[in-house]
Every structure is written in C-alpha cells, then in structure tokens.
Amino acid sequence: MIRILESDSQEAKDFLEKLRNRGLLQDDTVLRTVNRILEDVRKNGDKSVVKYTRKFDAPRIAIKELRVTERELNKAYSQVDSDYLDAINHARTKIEQFHQKQLRNSWITAEEDGVLLGHLIRPLERVGVCVPAASQLLVSSLIMNVVPPKVAGVKEIAACIAPGPDRKIDPHMLVTAGECDIHEIYKCGGAQAVGAMAYGTDSIRKVDKIVGPGNLYVQLAKKAVYGTVDLDKLAGPSEVLVIADDSADPAYVAADLISQAEHSEDCSAILVTTSRGLAEQVRSEIELQATNLARQAEITGAFGNYGVAFVVDDLNEAVALANEIAPEHVELEVEEPLEWIGAIRNAGAIMVGPYTPESVGDYIAGPNHILPTGGAARYASPLSVDDFLKKTSVISYTRAALKKVTPSVVKLAQIEGLDGHAAAMEARFEDDRD
C-alpha cells in the first residue's frame, strides 16, 4: 500500500518533485464555476445563496430557513449524549487555555525629545467561519476556528455550515457551536457561503475575515474574495511526515500515517526512516490495520497518490528531507526526540515522541490544528489569536523632535520626487528662517 524508496533513487527524486507541486490549488474549470457563483451571490444575495444550497445540499430549503433558530439549537442538545458534551468541553477548555497565552497588549514608548511611538492592538469586529459537514463532521475544526477569535475579543462570529438534504445541520455541529457561544449560524456552505460572508446579503451580514477549511471550491472562492475580506490561509489536503529510526514501534507509525490518509485521497502520508526493515514492517502494519477501518477508499487513494517511505542514511538526512518537504505535521518517533526539535525548521506542528500521535494535536492538546499545508510551513504559521487582531501605529512628535529629523525626511522625499512630502516638513519651520 505504501511504496518504499531509497532517498537517492531517481524514483524518490521524481516523487519529491510531485510533493513540491502539491500546494498548487488551481483548476480552471472549478475556478470558472466559483467565479460564477460568487458573482451571482454578489448581485442577488440570499436568492442565490438558497439557489446553490438547494443545488448542492438541501433541495427544499427556503430563505427564511437560512439562519438557525434558538429553538433548533436547543433541540440539538437533546440529540447528543452527555459524553459528547464532556469531550467537546474538555477540548474547548484546553484549546482556550493555550490560546489565552497568545494575547498581547497595546504599547506606547517615550523616546527622546518627547516622541511617543506605539501600537494599538485591537480585535476585528466581525469574523465568518465556514466549516463543511458533508462527508465528515468537522466538530474539531469548528472549535479550532472559533476559539482564537473569541479569545482575541472579536464581538461577532458567524458560522456557515452546510445542511443535509433534510435542511438541518447535524446536531453535533450545532451543539459544538453552542458550547463555543456561537449563536449566529447559517445553513449554507461552499462557495456560496464564502460569497455571502464576503459581500453580505439581507440575511448574512458582511464579515471582516473568513476562516475555515473546505474543498477546492471553497479555497478558490476564498482566494477570489481576498481583498474584499481578509483570509486565514488557503488550506490544502492534510499531511503528516513521520521521522523514525529502528527504535520506533511500526504499529504506532502505521496508525499515525493512516490517521492522515483517511481524510481524503489527496492527503499525504510520508515516512522518513533510517531503517528499511522498519519501513517494511510499517507497510505490513498499514495493510493489516487499514482492513478494520471504514474509510477504505480514502486510505487506499491517499497511499496510492502520496504515500511513501523514504529510506535515508541517518537522522540528519531525514531532518533535511523533512525541511525540504515542509509538511503540515512532523512526528519525531526516534530514540532521543527532544534533541531534534530545533532542527525541524519547516513544519506546522511537531509531535514529539511515541505517545504524541497527530490525533491528540487534532483534538485536545491545545495548539491550533489549522496549519499551513502544501509546503507553506516554509513561511506560514498555525492559526492563532494574532490572526484576529489588527495593529494600528501611534506616532507623536514634538516641534523640537520634528526639527531634528526634517533634513533627513526632506532629502529622502526629494530623492523620491515627492516635493509635497518635503514641503509638509518645511512648512512647520518657515518662521525659523525669518
């Protein structure tokens, strides 16, 4: 199910080239469809949102049903068990505690000659969260997208979740929103939800920023509306890369690779190991473990497309290869994992040791699981409180301080051909020349 390649082979080099291109989110046919939907929603608002929601999700939904009522939300609580509530609140608490540590305060410093410089740090006013719920109930993604803006102090958060054919949102999704204190919930998903939040409709007011996962239609829609609103990031398929030596348990490694592969057929599950014997054991374990899991098509497809075990000479080469691939998740299942954390430069999250599977980070550890994919870990970071804060610079000069810097400002402005900038400085000291 997973191919085993020597890292210096031509096949391995070809596979690496394929991995380098995995972050290219582009499809002209899909883009044309997305642009048509967005333009329709921009012009026709709720009418178009309902039209596409009927086409893709709920054939009989009406405009008046777009917003989830408090009655529907309360009913959802009667449809989930207490263990689910306990699990959701356990996860939410841990995630909130982690994100509370990211908060920052505004600051102003006093410089010489009475100059004041600083940053005002304030939350965005309104954020839209778009989370799919068709093939998978992404309750964890709902929490991960909602907690950071809540902690940042965002006043309004609207959630768009696609309904089922019965015009209802799964109760687990509704209860999760309720436990996160989100009461503005709309029954729509896909590109039409992105358009509604970006442009605003009679039912769904425009937001300042859109966050959340989704398929290629959602990602290209987010890309198209960037500038009208801000975005979190363009999210590609999930990824895991496990670095393992011969001390690793092949059953653990196989289980962790499968846990990513089961998301979808375009996910990548990569092993980089110093032991060919371990690679062969992991391959056998994958075949054994996968037979007991429900998402066979996704697992088989993912390993067929992006499943590989690279055999390298040593851990230095393993780390170098991981940094080149820049995956969403890196797992260190080696004898001394703490010694290698600093060497991993390009990763959305690093899972350290045999008892830190990627799953614990996905659900309950606390750090956000909205991570850079497609090689974006070279320059991007996990979703955080910072993503929902805006900074405004504060500058205050006294006359004496401004006079000191005027010659430098005038010279720079003249070099740029901006005489008006220079004049704005000199105008304040015309009396000094009399």
Side-chain angles (χ1 to χ4, degrees):
M1 189 175 284
I2 188 171
R3 71 206 79 182
I4 300 174
L5 306 176
E6 297 292 334
S7 63
D8 58 355
S9 67
Q10 185 58 50
E11 191 177 357
K13 294 174 183 176
D14 292 343
F15 198 90
L16 273 173
E17 185 60 30
K18 179 181 178 181
L19 286 173
R20 290 188 190 101
N21 295 322
R22 73 193 189 279
L24 299 177
L25 297 175
Q26 189 61 46
D27 184 306
D28 290 341
T29 301
V30 172
L31 183 58
R32 283 193 293 271
T33 300
V34 164
N35 286 336
R36 186 171 64 251
I37 292 171
L38 291 175
E39 183 61 13
D40 200 352
V41 171
R42 189 183 69 81
K43 289 181 177 179
N44 300 303
D46 288 341
K47 183 178 177 182
S48 292
V49 172
V50 166
K51 178 175 78 173
Y52 292 110
T53 301
R54 285 174 176 171
K55 180 176 180 179
F56 300 124
D57 300 306
R60 299 179 62 189
I61 196 166
I63 290 176
K64 64 181 181 180
E65 296 177 292
L66 276 178
R67 182 162 180 171
V68 172
T69 65
E70 284 296 318
R71 182 178 179 182
E72 288 175 294
L73 185 57
N74 292 334
K75 183 179 179 181
Y77 275 84
S78 68
Q79 297 173 296
V80 302
D81 59 42
S82 58
D83 288 345
Y84 179 74
L85 271 176
D86 290 344
I88 281 297
N89 283 302
H90 188 183
R92 179 182 54 78
T93 299
K94 300 290 282 186
I95 295 161
E96 283 178 350
Q97 288 172 348
F98 181 86
H99 286 79
Q100 286 284 351
K101 296 179 175 67
Q102 298 173 350
L103 280 169
R104 294 193 286 167
N105 296 317
S106 299
W107 57 269
I108 292 180
T109 60
E111 310 289 327
E112 64 177 329
D113 296 318
V115 171
L116 298 177
L117 301 174
H119 260 169
L120 298 180
I121 300 176
R122 292 170 289 194
L124 303 181
E125 288 290 324
R126 182 168 168 80
V127 167
V129 178
C130 188
V131 180
S135 63
Q136 296 169 257
L137 293 178
L138 297 180
V139 293
S140 59
S141 289
L142 184 56
I143 301 173
M144 293 289 185
N145 278 284
V146 164
V147 166
K150 292 287 289 187
V151 171
V154 174
K155 292 180 180 178
E156 298 179 9
I157 302 175
C160 287
I161 305 170
D166 60 357
R167 314 193 305 279
K168 297 177 182 178
I169 295 173
D170 184 276
H172 295 87
M173 295 292 283
L174 290 181
V175 167
T176 301
E179 290 303 291
C180 292
D181 197 28
I182 303 301
H183 294 262
E184 189 180 343
I185 308 165
Y186 298 96
K187 300 175 186 176
C188 61
Q192 65 269 26
V194 173
M197 290 189 288
Y199 305 128
T201 73
D202 289 339
S203 296
I204 305 172
R205 288 191 299 109
K206 178 180 175 175
V207 302
D208 300 315
K209 183 165 188 163
I210 298 173
V211 300
N215 60 19
L216 185 59
Y217 288 85
V218 171
Q219 300 310 315
L220 292 181
K222 287 168 68 177
K223 187 176 181 180
V225 301
Y226 177 68
T228 301
V229 292
D230 191 21
L231 306 177
D232 50 352
K233 53 179 59 69
L234 297 178
S238 294
E239 310 165 348
V240 68
L241 185 149
V242 179
I243 298 176
D245 58 18
D246 55 11
S247 70
D249 188 319
Y252 294 177
V253 174
D256 294 352
L257 293 172
I258 290 171
S259 73
Q260 282 301 287
E262 73 173 348
H263 277 299
S264 66
E265 295 182 13
D266 50 4
C267 291
S268 57
I270 301 167
L271 169 62
V272 182
T273 180
T274 55
S275 169
R276 186 175 185 90
L278 177 75
E280 291 170 350
Q281 289 178 293
V282 168
R283 179 168 60 185
S284 297
E285 279 289 339
I286 289 172
E287 292 172 357
L288 178 65
Q289 293 181 29
T291 59
N292 299 319
L293 300 174
R295 298 175 66 83
Q296 289 289 313
E298 290 82 1
I299 294 168
T300 301
F303 281 116
N305 290 323
Y306 290 104
V308 66
F310 291 111
V311 180
V312 297
D313 290 335
D314 54 39
L315 288 179
N316 285 309
E317 185 183 351
V319 168
L321 188 56
N323 284 327
E324 181 179 354
I325 294 170
E328 181 184 17
H329 307 92
V330 167
E331 291 192 11
L332 290 172
E333 300 203 24
V334 296
E335 194 165 359
E336 298 291 342
L338 291 173
E339 293 182 5
W340 294 95
I341 294 175
I344 304 296
R345 299 190 311 276
N346 301 331
I350 303 172
M351 331 301 288
V352 183
Y355 297 105
T356 315
E358 181 270 328
S359 303
V360 76
D362 260 2
Y363 289 105
I364 212 162
N368 208 288
H369 81 200
I370 311 298
L371 304 169
T373 59
R378 292 178 293 108
Y379 55 81
S381 307
L383 193 71
S384 72
V385 169
D386 269 353
D387 289 297
F388 303 95
L389 298 173
K390 57 183 179 179
K391 293 88 175 177
T392 302
S393 297
V394 175
I395 305 167
S396 175
Y397 268 64
T398 62
R399 190 178 193 279
L402 189 69
K403 188 172 184 178
K404 278 187 178 181
V405 302
T406 290
S408 294
V409 174
V410 168
K411 182 63 176 178
L412 293 171
Q414 289 172 342
I415 290 296
E416 292 187 347
L418 299 174
D419 293 341
H421 281 64
M425 299 291 289
E426 293 173 326
R428 285 159 169 82
F429 304 104
E430 286 181 354
D431 292 345
D432 293 0
R433 294 195 294 270
D434 294 338

